[in-house]
Amino acid sequence: TLTVVGTAVAWGFEGHTMVGRAAAAGLPADMPAFFTGAADQLAYLNPEPDRWRDDELSYMNEAWAYDHYIDLENVPDGALDSSNRFDYLEALYAAGVEAPHQRAGFLPYRIHELYQRLTTGFARWRLVESEEERTWIEDRIISDAGILGHYVADASNPHHTTIHYNGWAEGAPNPEAYTTSSDFHWRFESEFVSAHIGYDDVARAVPGGVEAPADAWTAILDFIMETHQLVVPLYELEKRYGFETDWTPSETKAFAVDRLAAGAVMLRALWYGAWVESAALAARDER
């Protein structure tokens, strides 16, 4: 039997779906209608990589497990200057990081890889003459865009940027006595979100409009670094209030809504950026 364990990780299916739907709302009119009209599918696909998680399907599970996070405390200076995940791995090995795929993770690279795949899809769509082939390309674009959304949503949660991903890490200095509970990750981003946050909360927090990033890689890294700055505030909130299903102080709800909305803003920008960048790629390929 297939045992899907994705419901125990990431933002939970509800949080991921909200990020995808909020990103799809208000897409600019100059994007293709097939894309702007695909909000339901883009929302559905946001949790997709968590549907792939299954310990018994070890080939698949192991292949994608390390794309959901980056433990920045374990990433040496300069490693993220690497232009692809394999050079990044070499930089980690050279710095003496043991089992670097596990100890560091690949999250920014996974996001950028999918961004570039989406860009090439849009470029092909601009150039294709066959209506039948155009439909196939559209299907591919929606799939890539939805799956890209999953990792962008992961990157909006501080737990996905730190060694303190599920309680304060054992052996790390903990003078503030932050929780070391191994259920914190799930309790925050799944149980708490499911109990207290609805789509309208997130949608209200997402501003209208969108700008394509000047440089996607820089924007991705900046977004992850900004999220990482919220690791301690997240633990402070847990220490002061907890993230419980039976009550919701305004501070804890506001934090979770802000993070979900930030994921939607970033995702919309990357979708639009891929569309904008695809024009130059298509023009180059047409020559």
Side-chain angles (χ1 to χ4, degrees):
T1 60
L2 177 61
T3 305
V4 179
V5 299
T7 53
V9 290
W11 277 112
F13 278 27
E14 291 184 38
H16 271 289
T17 300
M18 286 188 279
V19 170
R21 189 171 299 281
L27 282 167
D30 62 318
M31 291 195 76
F34 83 85
F35 194 85
T36 60
D40 289 345
Q41 192 172 357
L42 291 166
Y44 170 82
L45 285 168
N46 200 288
E48 187 71 6
D50 282 342
R51 298 184 179 110
W52 305 337
R53 292 179 182 265
D54 190 303
D55 290 340
E56 294 184 13
L57 302 178
S58 58
Y59 284 85
M60 178 178 67
N61 200 54
E62 188 72 10
W64 305 115
Y66 311 107
D67 287 346
H68 295 261
Y69 67 92
I70 180 167
D71 289 349
L72 285 169
E73 296 89 347
N74 291 335
V75 177
D77 290 344
L80 289 171
D81 294 335
S82 305
S83 61
N84 59 71
R85 71 167 63 206
F86 300 105
D87 288 348
Y88 167 68
L89 265 178
E90 287 188 6
L92 296 175
Y93 277 118
V97 179
E98 296 182 6
H101 59 297
Q102 296 174 336
R103 289 178 52 79
F106 297 110
L107 180 58
Y109 290 94
R110 181 61 168 159
I111 293 172
H112 201 227
E113 289 158 4
L114 285 164
Y115 171 85
Q116 290 190 337
R117 197 155 82 186
L118 183 59
T119 303
T120 64
F122 277 133
R124 290 197 307 277
W125 184 87
R126 290 177 182 272
L127 294 172
V128 69
E129 296 181 359
S130 163
E131 289 298 325
E132 184 179 37
E133 290 182 19
R134 178 174 288 108
T135 301
W136 297 340
I137 294 169
E138 289 172 359
D139 291 342
R140 177 75 265 163
I141 287 170
I142 296 299
S143 179
D144 287 340
I147 292 170
L148 167 62
H150 179 89
Y151 297 100
V152 175
D154 278 353
S156 71
N157 179 357
H159 279 140
H160 285 261
T161 70
T162 180
I163 60 173
H164 310 296
Y165 63 91
N166 201 13
W168 204 257
E170 182 179 357
N174 190 6
E176 302 299 326
Y178 295 135
T179 183
T180 58
S181 172
S182 61
D183 71 350
F184 182 23
H185 195 126
W186 171 243
R187 181 160 41 90
F188 165 59
E189 64 179 9
S190 187
E191 291 183 340
F192 181 83
V193 168
S194 296
H196 300 300
I197 296 173
Y199 172 71
D200 288 346
D201 296 315
V202 178
R204 282 192 295 268
V206 177
V210 61
E211 291 186 10
D215 179 79
W217 178 245
T218 300
I220 292 163
L221 289 184
D222 287 349
F223 181 63
I224 289 173
M225 297 301 177
E226 289 167 7
T227 299
H228 185 66
Q229 293 303 310
L230 297 174
V231 171
V232 169
L234 172 61
Y235 275 83
E236 290 282 359
L237 285 170
E238 196 284 334
K239 180 180 177 181
R240 184 173 180 183
Y241 301 109
F243 287 90
E244 308 299 337
T245 58
D246 56 353
W247 74 305
T248 173
S250 59
E251 292 88 347
T252 54
K253 180 171 181 176
F255 185 92
V257 169
D258 176 77
R259 289 291 81 213
L260 290 163
V265 169
M266 183 62 181
L267 178 54
R268 185 187 292 173
L270 289 176
W271 283 344
Y272 187 54
W275 167 247
V276 171
E277 189 174 336
S278 71
L281 185 59
R284 187 196 70 190
D285 290 346
E286 196 172 27
R287 290 197 298 268

